[in-house]
Amino acid sequence: MLTQEQIQDFRENGYLAIDQLLDYELDIKPVIDEYQALLDELCEQWVAEGLLPHSYSDLPFERRLVEVYRAGCNYYQAMDIALPNSGVQPDTPIHLGPAVFAMLRSPRLLAAVESLIGGEIFSNPIQHVRIKPPFSVVTEGDFNNALVSATHWHQDNGVALPEADETQMVTCWVAVSEATPENGCLQVVPKSHRNGITLHCSTRGGQLGIPDVLVEQEEARPLPLKPGGVIFFHPLCKHGSLDNNSDAFRWSFDIRYNPTGQATGRSHFPGFIARSVLDPESELQDPLEWARLWHEARARLAQVDGVQSHRWDDKDPLCA
Ligand SMILES: O=C(O)CCC(=O)C(=O)O
Ligand SMILES: [Fe+2]
């Protein structure tokens, strides 16, 4: 549960950073272990497909991931916890493991979320893992890939459909590794959630973002965080992330919740009831069912050309 002071801070500034909100042993370590096993599995698969020369099983996680990335294997989609917005195939990889599902339902996280949006909590399917390599190994094709490189300034409402504008969504940015200004931590413009939605463009390398002139960059605040720390923010809070200039990976999850029944902004993806004070039986408890919902969505989306995921058309002169 959050204190009154923390809740007030969130309302006033549009964000709230809390170290040690999650329990490292209970919430974070099982996820790291699950990703180690996932990387084992993926490497075997890529070797079998001829995409990777060896499985690099003697290397530690991060060094192995660098080899995988250098070989051109798309680890960031295979490890992500959502489908892409376009180009979904019947076999597009996605990671839907029980440890990630348990983190989405972490009682420590949900108690804080309940303080912000009440006790009927829906896990919004706009969610990602970002395991970002040192900038020195990133290839040019990924300079604008927000799962690999820095994320441009944006508002989370700006990257969702307008149906979610009235939704009380809260974003939770969870640090798995320590996040620092050097390795690309999140940065926010305090109080920027008070001024409505700002223009977004996709003209800078395809990543949707707010033009620089509309971001009060002199007020930007980097938010360093220890593993298990969480930043909560409002869907209109302007935020982005810095380059990873360190020599290690920067690993975070960004997950979202909204009051059950409100629009998620990505209705083509499945969410679930994470907590219900009124009807606890309606909570989804089964990670396999969660995975099934996503696999069902994948089969459906593979039949279509892509779905609209935002409202912008790049016609504003500021997008030029
Ligand atoms: O971690 C990042 O690079 C960006 C995260 C983000 O945009 C979010 O959490 O909404
Ligand atoms: Fe965001």
Side-chain angles (χ1 to χ4, degrees), residues 227-246:
V230 178
I231 302 163
F232 297 94
F233 56 90
H234 186 280
L236 289 173
C237 170
K238 291 179 188 170
H239 63 283
S241 70
L242 296 159
D243 283 325
N244 181 356
N245 290 314
S246 76

Tab-separated table of all heavy atoms in Angstrom, residues 227-246:
chain	number	residue	atom	x	y	z
A	227	PRO	N	17.382	-2.674	-8.617
A	227	PRO	CA	16.549	-3.820	-9.000
A	227	PRO	C	15.387	-4.001	-8.016
A	227	PRO	O	15.561	-3.896	-6.798
A	227	PRO	CB	17.519	-5.005	-8.894
A	227	PRO	CG	18.873	-4.411	-9.113
A	227	PRO	CD	18.809	-3.022	-8.526
A	228	GLY	N	14.208	-4.220	-8.548
A	228	GLY	CA	13.026	-4.367	-7.689
A	228	GLY	C	12.328	-3.042	-7.443
A	228	GLY	O	11.219	-3.000	-6.909
A	229	GLY	N	12.959	-1.949	-7.841
A	229	GLY	CA	12.319	-0.642	-7.730
A	229	GLY	C	11.290	-0.480	-8.846
A	229	GLY	O	11.390	-1.131	-9.892
A	230	VAL	N	10.299	0.369	-8.590
A	230	VAL	CA	9.235	0.579	-9.581
A	230	VAL	C	8.976	2.078	-9.733
A	230	VAL	O	8.946	2.811	-8.746
A	230	VAL	CB	7.915	-0.111	-9.151
A	230	VAL	CG1	6.801	0.152	-10.163
A	230	VAL	CG2	8.109	-1.615	-8.982
A	231	ILE	N	8.802	2.516	-10.990
A	231	ILE	CA	8.317	3.883	-11.239
A	231	ILE	C	6.870	3.755	-11.707
A	231	ILE	O	6.590	3.012	-12.654
A	231	ILE	CB	9.138	4.574	-12.351
A	231	ILE	CG1	10.617	4.622	-11.971
A	231	ILE	CG2	8.607	5.998	-12.607
A	231	ILE	CD1	11.528	4.902	-13.167
A	232	PHE	N	5.973	4.440	-11.036
A	232	PHE	CA	4.571	4.498	-11.469
A	232	PHE	C	4.407	5.800	-12.226
A	232	PHE	O	4.911	6.834	-11.781
A	232	PHE	CB	3.637	4.524	-10.253
A	232	PHE	CG	3.735	3.273	-9.429
A	232	PHE	CD1	4.595	3.202	-8.339
A	232	PHE	CD2	2.986	2.152	-9.753
A	232	PHE	CE1	4.703	2.031	-7.596
A	232	PHE	CE2	3.090	0.986	-9.023
A	232	PHE	CZ	3.950	0.931	-7.941
A	233	PHE	N	3.715	5.766	-13.348
A	233	PHE	CA	3.428	7.069	-13.960
A	233	PHE	C	2.092	7.124	-14.682
A	233	PHE	O	1.504	6.119	-15.061
A	233	PHE	CB	4.584	7.616	-14.792
A	233	PHE	CG	5.101	6.741	-15.887
A	233	PHE	CD1	4.563	6.826	-17.160
A	233	PHE	CD2	6.130	5.851	-15.652
A	233	PHE	CE1	5.059	6.042	-18.191
A	233	PHE	CE2	6.628	5.055	-16.674
A	233	PHE	CZ	6.089	5.157	-17.938
A	234	HIS	N	1.638	8.368	-14.814
A	234	HIS	CA	0.354	8.721	-15.403
A	234	HIS	C	0.469	8.595	-16.927
A	234	HIS	O	1.528	8.886	-17.492
A	234	HIS	CB	0.051	10.177	-14.990
A	234	HIS	CG	-1.302	10.675	-15.374
A	234	HIS	ND1	-1.582	11.105	-16.653
A	234	HIS	CD2	-2.440	10.815	-14.662
A	234	HIS	CE1	-2.851	11.487	-16.710
A	234	HIS	NE2	-3.398	11.323	-15.508
A	235	PRO	N	-0.597	8.202	-17.628
A	235	PRO	CA	-0.498	8.002	-19.080
A	235	PRO	C	-0.238	9.286	-19.886
A	235	PRO	O	0.038	9.215	-21.076
A	235	PRO	CB	-1.853	7.395	-19.451
A	235	PRO	CG	-2.755	7.629	-18.294
A	235	PRO	CD	-1.893	7.759	-17.087
A	236	LEU	N	-0.322	10.458	-19.250
A	236	LEU	CA	0.019	11.692	-19.967
A	236	LEU	C	1.400	12.228	-19.566
A	236	LEU	O	1.842	13.263	-20.069
A	236	LEU	CB	-1.047	12.769	-19.730
A	236	LEU	CG	-2.395	12.519	-20.427
A	236	LEU	CD1	-3.427	13.553	-19.987
A	236	LEU	CD2	-2.256	12.520	-21.946
A	237	CYS	N	2.072	11.536	-18.682
A	237	CYS	CA	3.418	11.972	-18.258
A	237	CYS	C	4.380	11.807	-19.438
A	237	CYS	O	4.483	10.735	-20.030
A	237	CYS	CB	3.864	11.104	-17.080
A	237	CYS	SG	5.592	11.300	-16.629
A	238	LYS	N	5.073	12.877	-19.799
A	238	LYS	CA	6.056	12.778	-20.877
A	238	LYS	C	7.300	12.055	-20.342
A	238	LYS	O	7.851	12.452	-19.314
A	238	LYS	CB	6.464	14.169	-21.372
A	238	LYS	CG	5.349	14.897	-22.112
A	238	LYS	CD	5.820	16.283	-22.558
A	238	LYS	CE	4.659	17.097	-23.127
A	238	LYS	NZ	5.026	18.516	-23.338
A	239	HIS	N	7.698	11.010	-21.050
A	239	HIS	CA	8.856	10.238	-20.594
A	239	HIS	C	9.575	9.611	-21.783
A	239	HIS	O	9.023	9.529	-22.883
A	239	HIS	CB	8.418	9.146	-19.605
A	239	HIS	CG	7.506	8.126	-20.237
A	239	HIS	ND1	6.173	8.358	-20.492
A	239	HIS	CD2	7.755	6.886	-20.728
A	239	HIS	CE1	5.646	7.298	-21.082
A	239	HIS	NE2	6.573	6.388	-21.247
A	240	GLY	N	10.781	9.180	-21.524
A	240	GLY	CA	11.580	8.492	-22.527
A	240	GLY	C	12.706	7.809	-21.786
A	240	GLY	O	12.701	7.768	-20.547
A	241	SER	N	13.661	7.263	-22.519
A	241	SER	CA	14.811	6.706	-21.805
A	241	SER	C	16.093	7.095	-22.519
A	241	SER	O	16.085	7.492	-23.681
A	241	SER	CB	14.693	5.186	-21.653
A	241	SER	OG	14.846	4.563	-22.905
A	242	LEU	N	17.168	6.999	-21.767
A	242	LEU	CA	18.478	7.455	-22.263
A	242	LEU	C	19.199	6.312	-22.977
A	242	LEU	O	18.803	5.150	-22.881
A	242	LEU	CB	19.298	7.941	-21.055
A	242	LEU	CG	18.702	9.165	-20.350
A	242	LEU	CD1	19.216	9.287	-18.904
A	242	LEU	CD2	19.055	10.428	-21.134
A	243	ASP	N	20.271	6.661	-23.687
A	243	ASP	CA	21.114	5.633	-24.320
A	243	ASP	C	21.798	4.793	-23.249
A	243	ASP	O	22.085	5.287	-22.159
A	243	ASP	CB	22.222	6.310	-25.152
A	243	ASP	CG	21.696	6.843	-26.474
A	243	ASP	OD1	20.794	6.207	-27.055
A	243	ASP	OD2	22.198	7.900	-26.911
A	244	ASN	N	22.081	3.566	-23.625
A	244	ASN	CA	22.853	2.723	-22.708
A	244	ASN	C	24.332	2.868	-23.036
A	244	ASN	O	24.854	2.207	-23.924
A	244	ASN	CB	22.405	1.265	-22.839
A	244	ASN	CG	23.169	0.365	-21.884
A	244	ASN	OD1	24.074	0.823	-21.193
A	244	ASN	ND2	22.809	-0.908	-21.856
A	245	ASN	N	24.993	3.765	-22.301
A	245	ASN	CA	26.421	3.999	-22.542
A	245	ASN	C	27.302	3.179	-21.613
A	245	ASN	O	28.492	3.451	-21.478
A	245	ASN	CB	26.744	5.491	-22.380
A	245	ASN	CG	26.138	6.305	-23.509
A	245	ASN	OD1	26.244	5.917	-24.674
A	245	ASN	ND2	25.475	7.395	-23.180
A	246	SER	N	26.730	2.199	-20.947
A	246	SER	CA	27.535	1.349	-20.058
A	246	SER	C	28.009	0.131	-20.852
A	246	SER	O	27.736	0.004	-22.042
A	246	SER	CB	26.675	0.888	-18.879
A	246	SER	OG	25.791	-0.148	-19.300
